Amino acid sequence: ATGHQTQRQIFPFHVVFDDQLQIRQMGVSLFRIVATSVVDVQTVTLTDLFIVERPQGMTLSFSEIKAHTNMVFVLRGKGSLPTEALRVKGQMTHLNDDNDSAGKMLFLCSPRIGDISDLCGRRLYLSDLPLHDATRDMLLLDDTRANQHCEIVKLEEMNTKLNVAHQDLANAHQDLAKEKDLTDKLLYSMFPMHVASQLKQKKAVAAETFPSVTILFSDVVGFTSICGSCHPSRVVRMLDGLYKEFDAVTRENKLYKVETIGDAYMVVGGLTSRTGHDSHEEVVCNQALDMMAVVSKVRNPSHLRDHIHIRVGIHSGEVMAGVVGDLMPRYCLFGDAVNVASRTESTGVADKIQVTEATH
Protein backbone atom coordinates (compact mmCIF):
# COMPACT_ATOMS: atom_id res chain seq x y z
CA ALA A 1 0.00 0.00 0.00
CA THR A 2 2.87 2.32 0.82
CA GLY A 3 4.39 1.61 -2.59
CA HIS A 4 1.12 2.34 -4.36
CA GLN A 5 0.79 5.64 -2.48
CA THR A 6 4.31 6.62 -3.48
CA GLN A 7 3.52 5.82 -7.12
CA ARG A 8 0.38 7.95 -6.95
CA GLN A 9 2.44 10.88 -5.65
CA ILE A 10 5.34 10.50 -8.09
CA PHE A 11 3.02 10.07 -11.09
CA PRO A 12 0.05 12.37 -10.29
CA PHE A 13 -1.50 11.66 -13.71
CA HIS A 14 -1.64 7.92 -14.30
CA VAL A 15 -4.24 5.18 -14.44
CA VAL A 16 -3.85 1.45 -13.85
CA PHE A 17 -6.78 -0.62 -15.12
CA ASP A 18 -7.53 -4.32 -15.63
CA ASP A 19 -8.76 -6.26 -18.64
CA GLN A 20 -12.32 -5.10 -17.87
CA LEU A 21 -11.07 -1.49 -18.00
CA GLN A 22 -11.93 -1.10 -14.32
CA ILE A 23 -9.62 1.41 -12.73
CA ARG A 24 -7.45 -0.09 -10.01
CA GLN A 25 -5.14 2.83 -9.28
CA MET A 26 -5.12 6.52 -10.11
CA GLY A 27 -2.60 9.36 -9.65
CA VAL A 28 -3.42 11.85 -6.89
CA SER A 29 -4.07 14.82 -9.20
CA LEU A 30 -6.31 12.91 -11.56
CA PHE A 31 -8.08 11.33 -8.59
CA ARG A 32 -8.77 14.79 -7.11
CA ILE A 33 -10.52 15.84 -10.32
CA VAL A 34 -12.56 12.66 -10.71
CA ALA A 35 -13.53 12.32 -7.05
CA THR A 36 -15.46 15.64 -7.05
CA SER A 37 -18.39 14.07 -8.95
CA VAL A 38 -17.89 10.30 -9.12
CA VAL A 39 -19.53 8.66 -6.11
CA ASP A 40 -17.58 5.42 -6.13
CA VAL A 41 -14.20 5.83 -7.72
CA GLN A 42 -13.40 2.18 -6.98
CA THR A 43 -16.05 0.94 -9.44
CA VAL A 44 -15.48 3.44 -12.24
CA THR A 45 -14.10 2.24 -15.57
CA LEU A 46 -11.86 3.92 -18.09
CA THR A 47 -14.72 4.23 -20.56
CA ASP A 48 -16.82 5.97 -17.90
CA LEU A 49 -14.33 8.83 -17.87
CA PHE A 50 -12.66 9.04 -21.28
CA ILE A 51 -13.03 8.59 -25.00
CA VAL A 52 -10.17 8.04 -27.45
CA GLU A 53 -8.95 10.86 -29.67
CA ARG A 54 -5.75 9.14 -30.73
CA PRO A 55 -5.12 6.64 -32.18
CA GLN A 56 -8.03 7.58 -34.36
CA GLY A 57 -10.74 5.03 -35.09
CA MET A 58 -10.01 2.64 -32.24
CA THR A 59 -12.34 1.68 -29.41
CA LEU A 60 -11.40 1.53 -25.77
CA SER A 61 -10.94 -2.15 -25.09
CA PHE A 62 -8.15 -3.98 -23.36
CA SER A 63 -7.20 -5.96 -26.42
CA GLU A 64 -7.21 -2.91 -28.70
CA ILE A 65 -5.11 -0.96 -26.26
CA LYS A 66 -2.67 -3.86 -25.88
CA ALA A 67 -2.30 -4.05 -29.64
CA HIS A 68 -1.38 -0.34 -29.84
CA THR A 69 0.97 0.07 -26.87
CA ASN A 70 3.66 1.33 -29.20
CA MET A 71 1.56 4.36 -30.06
CA VAL A 72 0.83 7.67 -28.29
CA PHE A 73 -2.64 7.85 -26.76
CA VAL A 74 -4.69 11.02 -26.32
CA LEU A 75 -7.82 10.64 -24.18
CA ARG A 76 -10.49 13.29 -23.69
CA GLY A 77 -12.92 13.51 -20.80
CA LYS A 78 -16.49 12.64 -21.66
CA GLY A 79 -19.94 13.84 -20.65
CA SER A 80 -20.47 16.41 -17.91
CA LEU A 81 -17.79 14.97 -15.66
CA PRO A 82 -14.99 17.19 -14.37
CA THR A 83 -12.74 15.44 -16.86
CA GLU A 84 -14.82 16.76 -19.80
CA ALA A 85 -12.47 19.64 -20.56
CA LEU A 86 -9.40 17.55 -19.70
CA ARG A 87 -7.19 16.05 -22.39
CA VAL A 88 -4.37 13.73 -21.37
CA LYS A 89 -1.57 12.41 -23.52
CA GLY A 90 0.66 9.50 -22.71
CA GLN A 91 1.84 5.93 -23.23
CA MET A 92 0.10 2.65 -22.50
CA THR A 93 2.29 -0.01 -20.88
CA HIS A 94 1.20 -3.60 -20.31
CA LEU A 95 1.97 -4.89 -16.82
CA ASN A 96 2.31 -8.64 -16.29
CA ASP A 97 0.66 -9.95 -13.14
CA ASP A 98 1.39 -13.40 -11.75
CA ASN A 99 -2.06 -13.46 -10.20
CA ASP A 100 -3.83 -12.34 -13.36
CA SER A 101 -3.12 -13.97 -16.70
CA ALA A 102 -4.40 -10.96 -18.62
CA GLY A 103 -2.33 -8.58 -16.57
CA LYS A 104 -3.01 -4.87 -16.16
CA MET A 105 -2.42 -1.74 -18.20
CA LEU A 106 -0.64 1.41 -17.04
CA PHE A 107 -1.53 4.68 -18.76
CA LEU A 108 1.20 7.13 -17.76
CA CYS A 109 0.05 10.52 -19.00
CA SER A 110 0.19 14.30 -18.68
CA PRO A 111 -2.59 16.87 -19.03
CA ARG A 112 -2.59 18.99 -22.20
CA ILE A 113 -2.27 22.55 -20.85
CA GLY A 114 -2.04 25.68 -23.01
CA ASP A 115 -0.76 28.24 -20.52
CA ILE A 116 -0.83 29.25 -16.85
CA SER A 117 -4.37 30.61 -17.09
CA ASP A 118 -5.50 27.33 -18.64
CA LEU A 119 -3.83 25.48 -15.77
CA CYS A 120 -5.68 27.63 -13.21
CA GLY A 121 -8.96 27.23 -15.11
CA ARG A 122 -8.70 23.45 -14.71
CA ARG A 123 -8.00 23.90 -10.97
CA LEU A 124 -4.55 22.39 -11.38
CA TYR A 125 -1.17 23.42 -10.00
CA LEU A 126 2.34 23.10 -11.31
CA SER A 127 2.93 20.51 -8.60
CA ASP A 128 0.20 18.39 -10.21
CA LEU A 129 2.30 17.96 -13.33
CA PRO A 130 4.74 15.03 -13.40
CA LEU A 131 8.33 15.92 -12.69
CA HIS A 132 9.44 14.31 -15.94
CA ASP A 133 6.88 16.31 -17.98
CA ALA A 134 8.34 19.12 -20.12
CA THR A 135 4.98 20.93 -19.83
CA ARG A 136 6.20 22.39 -16.52
CA ASP A 137 9.13 24.12 -18.19
CA MET A 138 7.03 25.26 -21.14
CA LEU A 139 4.39 26.83 -18.88
CA LEU A 140 7.03 28.59 -16.80
CA LEU A 141 8.79 29.79 -19.95
CA ASP A 142 5.52 31.05 -21.45
CA ASP A 143 4.67 32.82 -18.21
CA THR A 144 8.13 34.40 -18.11
CA ARG A 145 7.75 35.53 -21.72
CA ALA A 146 4.30 36.90 -20.96
CA ASN A 147 5.69 38.86 -18.01
CA GLN A 148 8.57 40.09 -20.15
CA HIS A 149 6.09 41.15 -22.83
CA CYS A 150 4.10 43.07 -20.22
CA GLU A 151 7.28 44.75 -19.04
CA ILE A 152 8.22 45.62 -22.63
CA VAL A 153 4.74 47.08 -23.22
CA LYS A 154 5.06 49.13 -20.02
CA LEU A 155 8.52 50.34 -21.06
CA GLU A 156 7.20 51.29 -24.49
CA GLU A 157 4.32 53.18 -22.88
CA MET A 158 6.77 54.95 -20.57
CA ASN A 159 9.02 55.73 -23.54
CA THR A 160 6.03 57.15 -25.43
CA LYS A 161 5.09 59.29 -22.45
CA LEU A 162 8.71 60.46 -22.12
CA ASN A 163 8.79 61.36 -25.81
CA VAL A 164 5.54 63.30 -25.44
CA ALA A 165 6.87 65.02 -22.32
CA HIS A 166 10.14 65.81 -24.14
CA GLN A 167 8.21 67.29 -27.06
CA ASP A 168 6.01 69.28 -24.66
CA LEU A 169 9.17 70.55 -22.94
CA ALA A 170 10.72 71.49 -26.28
CA ASN A 171 7.52 73.32 -27.26
CA ALA A 172 7.51 75.07 -23.89
CA HIS A 173 11.13 76.15 -24.46
CA GLN A 174 10.18 77.52 -27.88
CA ASP A 175 7.20 79.36 -26.42
CA LEU A 176 9.42 80.69 -23.63
CA ALA A 177 12.00 81.87 -26.16
CA LYS A 178 9.26 83.66 -28.14
CA GLU A 179 7.92 85.29 -24.99
CA LYS A 180 11.47 86.31 -24.04
CA ASP A 181 11.96 87.89 -27.47
CA LEU A 182 8.68 89.78 -27.11
CA THR A 183 9.67 90.91 -23.60
CA ASP A 184 13.08 92.07 -24.85
CA LYS A 185 11.49 93.99 -27.72
CA LEU A 186 9.08 95.65 -25.32
CA LEU A 187 11.87 96.47 -22.88
CA TYR A 188 14.10 97.99 -25.57
CA SER A 189 11.16 99.96 -26.95
CA MET A 190 10.47 101.53 -23.53
CA PHE A 191 14.05 102.37 -22.51
CA PRO A 192 17.31 103.42 -24.16
CA MET A 193 19.46 100.43 -25.03
CA HIS A 194 22.02 100.89 -22.24
CA VAL A 195 19.24 101.28 -19.65
CA ALA A 196 17.29 98.27 -20.98
CA SER A 197 20.44 96.11 -20.82
CA GLN A 198 20.96 97.01 -17.17
CA LEU A 199 17.32 96.31 -16.32
CA LYS A 200 17.51 92.97 -18.13
CA GLN A 201 20.48 92.02 -15.95
CA LYS A 202 18.48 93.15 -12.87
CA LYS A 203 20.99 95.87 -12.14
CA ALA A 204 20.09 99.16 -10.51
CA VAL A 205 19.96 101.98 -13.05
CA ALA A 206 21.73 105.06 -11.76
CA ALA A 207 20.40 108.52 -12.63
CA GLU A 208 22.52 110.37 -15.16
CA THR A 209 23.20 113.92 -16.28
CA PHE A 210 23.51 114.59 -20.01
CA PRO A 211 25.25 117.91 -20.69
CA SER A 212 23.71 118.29 -24.14
CA VAL A 213 20.67 116.64 -25.70
CA THR A 214 18.09 117.82 -28.21
CA ILE A 215 14.42 117.51 -27.29
CA LEU A 216 11.45 117.58 -29.69
CA PHE A 217 7.82 118.14 -28.69
CA SER A 218 4.87 118.07 -31.05
CA ASP A 219 1.08 118.24 -30.69
CA VAL A 220 -1.97 118.23 -32.94
CA VAL A 221 -3.45 121.65 -33.54
CA GLY A 222 -7.13 121.84 -32.54
CA PHE A 223 -7.06 118.38 -30.98
CA THR A 224 -9.63 119.31 -28.31
CA SER A 225 -12.18 120.42 -30.92
CA ILE A 226 -11.51 117.26 -32.95
CA CYS A 227 -12.29 115.15 -29.87
CA GLY A 228 -15.50 117.09 -29.27
CA SER A 229 -16.83 116.61 -32.82
CA CYS A 230 -15.84 112.99 -33.57
CA HIS A 231 -16.63 109.53 -32.24
CA PRO A 232 -13.85 108.27 -29.94
CA SER A 233 -13.06 105.38 -32.29
CA ARG A 234 -12.28 107.79 -35.14
CA VAL A 235 -9.99 109.86 -32.91
CA VAL A 236 -8.17 106.75 -31.69
CA ARG A 237 -7.73 105.46 -35.25
CA MET A 238 -6.32 108.83 -36.30
CA LEU A 239 -3.82 108.92 -33.39
CA ASP A 240 -2.88 105.27 -33.87
CA GLY A 241 -2.08 105.77 -37.54
CA LEU A 242 -0.22 109.02 -36.83
CA TYR A 243 1.93 107.60 -34.02
CA LYS A 244 2.79 104.46 -35.98
CA GLU A 245 4.19 106.69 -38.75
CA PHE A 246 6.02 108.86 -36.17
CA ASP A 247 7.47 105.71 -34.54
CA ALA A 248 8.74 104.50 -37.92
CA VAL A 249 10.67 107.70 -38.60
CA THR A 250 11.91 107.75 -34.99
CA ARG A 251 13.41 104.27 -35.46
CA GLU A 252 14.87 105.30 -38.79
CA ASN A 253 16.54 108.35 -37.24
CA LYS A 254 17.70 106.23 -34.25
CA LEU A 255 16.21 108.57 -31.68
CA TYR A 256 14.63 107.72 -28.34
CA LYS A 257 10.88 108.17 -27.97
CA VAL A 258 10.25 109.39 -24.44
CA GLU A 259 6.47 109.27 -24.30
CA THR A 260 3.12 110.20 -25.82
CA ILE A 261 0.50 111.95 -23.70
CA GLY A 262 -2.75 112.60 -25.55
CA ASP A 263 -1.75 114.26 -28.79
CA ALA A 264 1.74 115.19 -27.56
CA TYR A 265 4.73 113.29 -28.96
CA MET A 266 8.22 113.64 -27.41
CA VAL A 267 11.56 112.36 -28.70
CA VAL A 268 15.14 113.11 -27.69
CA GLY A 269 18.52 112.79 -29.37
CA GLY A 270 21.88 112.55 -27.64
CA LEU A 271 20.98 110.08 -24.88
CA THR A 272 22.96 107.38 -26.68
CA SER A 273 25.43 107.17 -29.50
CA ARG A 274 22.84 105.63 -31.79
CA THR A 275 22.52 108.77 -33.91
CA GLY A 276 25.81 107.86 -35.61
CA HIS A 277 28.23 110.53 -36.91
CA ASP A 278 25.60 113.28 -37.31
CA SER A 279 25.01 115.68 -34.41
CA HIS A 280 21.86 115.05 -32.40
CA GLU A 281 20.64 118.59 -33.23
CA GLU A 282 20.70 117.82 -36.94
CA VAL A 283 19.10 114.40 -36.55
CA VAL A 284 16.24 115.77 -34.40
CA CYS A 285 15.59 118.54 -36.95
CA ASN A 286 15.44 115.90 -39.70
CA GLN A 287 12.97 114.03 -37.48
CA ALA A 288 10.77 117.14 -37.39
CA LEU A 289 10.83 117.43 -41.18
CA ASP A 290 9.90 113.74 -41.52
CA MET A 291 7.00 114.24 -39.11
CA MET A 292 5.71 117.17 -41.12
CA ALA A 293 5.79 115.01 -44.25
CA VAL A 294 3.82 112.31 -42.45
CA VAL A 295 1.15 114.71 -41.19
CA SER A 296 0.31 115.83 -44.71
CA LYS A 297 -1.00 112.33 -45.41
CA VAL A 298 -3.18 111.92 -42.27
CA ARG A 299 -6.82 113.03 -42.66
CA ASN A 300 -8.56 115.15 -40.06
CA PRO A 301 -11.48 112.99 -38.79
CA SER A 302 -13.66 116.08 -38.28
CA HIS A 303 -12.84 117.54 -41.72
CA LEU A 304 -11.93 114.68 -44.01
CA ARG A 305 -11.00 116.99 -46.89
CA ASP A 306 -8.19 118.47 -44.83
CA HIS A 307 -5.16 116.80 -43.21
CA ILE A 308 -4.30 117.37 -39.57
CA HIS A 309 -1.86 120.08 -38.51
CA ILE A 310 0.86 119.91 -35.87
CA ARG A 311 3.18 122.27 -34.04
CA VAL A 312 6.78 121.25 -33.37
CA GLY A 313 9.21 122.77 -30.88
CA ILE A 314 12.91 121.86 -30.54
CA HIS A 315 15.42 122.87 -27.87
CA SER A 316 18.88 121.66 -26.80
CA GLY A 317 20.36 121.70 -23.33
CA GLU A 318 21.32 119.78 -20.20
CA VAL A 319 18.94 117.20 -18.70
CA MET A 320 18.87 114.64 -15.93
CA ALA A 321 17.43 111.19 -16.67
CA GLY A 322 16.53 108.07 -14.72
CA VAL A 323 14.04 105.27 -14.25
CA VAL A 324 11.06 106.36 -12.17
CA GLY A 325 8.26 104.21 -10.77
CA ASP A 326 7.70 100.56 -9.96
CA LEU A 327 4.21 99.62 -11.24
CA MET A 328 4.86 101.16 -14.68
CA PRO A 329 8.50 102.29 -14.67
CA ARG A 330 9.40 105.01 -17.15
CA TYR A 331 12.65 106.59 -18.25
CA CYS A 332 12.00 110.26 -17.54
CA LEU A 333 13.88 113.45 -18.40
CA PHE A 334 14.09 116.36 -16.00
CA GLY A 335 15.54 119.84 -16.23
CA ASP A 336 14.96 123.30 -17.60
CA ALA A 337 15.72 122.13 -21.14
CA VAL A 338 12.59 119.95 -21.05
CA ASN A 339 10.43 122.87 -19.95
CA VAL A 340 11.88 125.17 -22.62
CA ALA A 341 11.29 122.56 -25.36
CA SER A 342 7.67 122.16 -24.22
CA ARG A 343 7.06 125.93 -24.25
CA THR A 344 8.76 126.21 -27.65
CA GLU A 345 6.18 123.79 -29.02
CA SER A 346 3.15 125.29 -27.26
CA THR A 347 3.97 128.82 -28.48
CA GLY A 348 4.65 127.64 -32.01
CA VAL A 349 2.58 128.02 -35.16
CA ALA A 350 0.65 125.28 -37.00
CA ASP A 351 2.66 123.43 -39.65
CA LYS A 352 5.85 125.13 -38.46
CA ILE A 353 8.95 123.92 -36.63
CA GLN A 354 10.10 126.32 -33.96
CA VAL A 355 13.76 125.90 -33.00
CA THR A 356 15.54 127.73 -30.16
CA GLU A 357 18.87 129.44 -30.51
CA ALA A 358 20.50 126.71 -28.40
CA THR A 359 19.66 124.14 -31.05
CA HIS A 360 20.31 126.40 -34.03
Side-chain angles (χ1 to χ4, degrees):
T2 304
H4 290 173
Q5 184 62 29
T6 301
Q7 291 174 5
R8 294 178 69 236
Q9 294 287 344
I10 294 176
F11 304 107
F13 279 88
H14 81 275
V15 178
V16 177
F17 54 93
D18 58 20
D19 59 342
Q20 301 300 315
L21 301 185
Q22 185 173 354
I23 294 176
R24 297 299 184 181
Q25 182 175 303
M26 190 180 296
V28 292
S29 297
L30 185 57
F31 180 83
R32 188 177 72 244
I33 297 173
V34 173
T36 57
S37 62
V38 177
V39 177
D40 188 1
V41 180
Q42 301 300 325
T43 61
V44 74
T45 65
L46 190 66
T47 54
D48 291 334
L49 300 178
F50 297 102
I51 60 175
V52 180
E53 282 192 354
R54 290 175 57 189
Q56 295 180 356
M58 72 167 289
T59 58
L60 273 179
S61 67
F62 194 84
S63 59
E64 284 284 315
I65 293 172
K66 188 176 179 180
H68 293 84
T69 53
N70 62 334
M71 301 184 70
V72 175
F73 279 74
V74 176
L75 305 184
R76 176 171 58 84
K78 62 185 294 188
S80 58
L81 295 176
T83 54
E84 179 185 5
L86 182 66
R87 295 174 70 246
V88 288
K89 177 182 178 182
Q91 188 78 35
M92 296 287 185
T93 303
H94 183 248
L95 303 176
N96 293 319
D97 192 342
D98 295 336
N99 299 323
D100 186 351
S101 59
K104 295 182 177 63
M105 194 69 67
L106 167 66
F107 180 43
L108 189 61
C109 57
S110 298
R112 307 301 292 166
I113 304 296
D115 50 31
I116 291 291
S117 60
D118 188 21
L119 184 74
C120 297
R122 300 176 189 277
R123 298 181 180 179
L124 295 175
Y125 307 95
L126 281 175
S127 59
D128 291 326
L129 302 180
L131 294 174
H132 63 274
D133 192 349
T135 305
R136 277 174 174 255
D137 296 332
M138 292 180 63
L139 290 176
L140 290 173
L141 180 61
D142 288 344
D143 189 56
T144 301
R145 287 176 176 172
N147 291 332
Q148 289 176 343
H149 177 71
C150 291
E151 292 299 323
I152 291 173
V153 170
K154 289 180 180 178
L155 288 174
E156 288 177 347
E157 290 177 351
M158 291 178 62
N159 187 54
T160 301
K161 291 179 179 179
L162 285 174
N163 289 335
V164 171
H166 183 269
Q167 187 60 46
D168 290 342
L169 185 60
N171 293 337
H173 277 302
Q174 291 180 355
D175 293 340
L176 183 61
K178 291 178 181 178
E179 292 297 327
K180 184 177 179 296
D181 289 341
L182 291 175
T183 302
D184 288 347
K185 288 180 180 178
L186 179 62
L187 185 66
Y188 283 104
S189 69
M190 293 176 60
F191 301 97
M193 185 173 292
H194 71 286
V195 174
S197 298
Q198 293 181 64
L199 290 173
K200 187 177 177 182
Q201 297 172 15
K202 298 183 179 180
K203 294 181 179 179
V205 180
E208 300 176 82
T209 298
F210 295 90
S212 178
V213 298
T214 300
I215 304 163
L216 178 150
F217 275 95
S218 74
D219 73 344
V220 177
V221 177
F223 182 71
T224 303
S225 62
I226 293 175
C227 292
S229 60
C230 295
H231 191 275
S233 61
R234 297 176 63 187
V235 177
V236 170
R237 280 198 300 269
M238 181 268 291
L239 286 177
D240 181 59
L242 178 65
Y243 287 161
K244 283 180 178 177
E245 294 292 337
F246 283 179
D247 290 344
V249 297
T250 300
R251 282 191 294 270
E252 184 178 346
N253 289 311
K254 298 180 180 179
L255 298 173
Y256 174 62
K257 174 185 173 182
V258 180
E259 62 183 352
T260 55
I261 301 176
D263 62 322
Y265 192 91
M266 176 183 178
V267 296
V268 61
L271 289 180
T272 68
S273 60
R274 290 184 296 168
T275 54
H277 299 294
D278 297 330
S279 65
H280 52 79
E281 294 90 352
E282 181 179 350
V283 175
V284 172
C285 288
N286 288 334
Q287 168 82 8
L289 294 173
D290 293 336
M291 292 169 66
M292 284 294 181
V294 166
V295 167
S296 64
K297 303 174 185 177
V298 179
R299 296 293 93 188
N300 186 331
S302 61
H303 299 90
L304 295 178
R305 294 183 179 181
D306 189 17
H307 63 80
I308 63 171
H309 304 272
I310 63 170
R311 290 185 293 260
V312 177
I314 300 175
H315 175 65
S316 300
E318 182 183 85
V319 297
M320 293 179 293
V323 178
V324 177
D326 182 35
L327 183 62
M328 293 183 63
R330 300 300 301 269
Y331 191 69
C332 298
L333 304 182
F334 308 96
D336 188 58
V338 177
N339 298 329
V340 173
S342 178
R343 289 195 297 271
T344 303
E345 175 270 316
S346 62
T347 59
V349 180
D351 298 327
K352 300 295 183 182
I353 303 169
Q354 185 163 234
V355 180
T356 65
E357 184 66 27
T359 301
H360 185 270

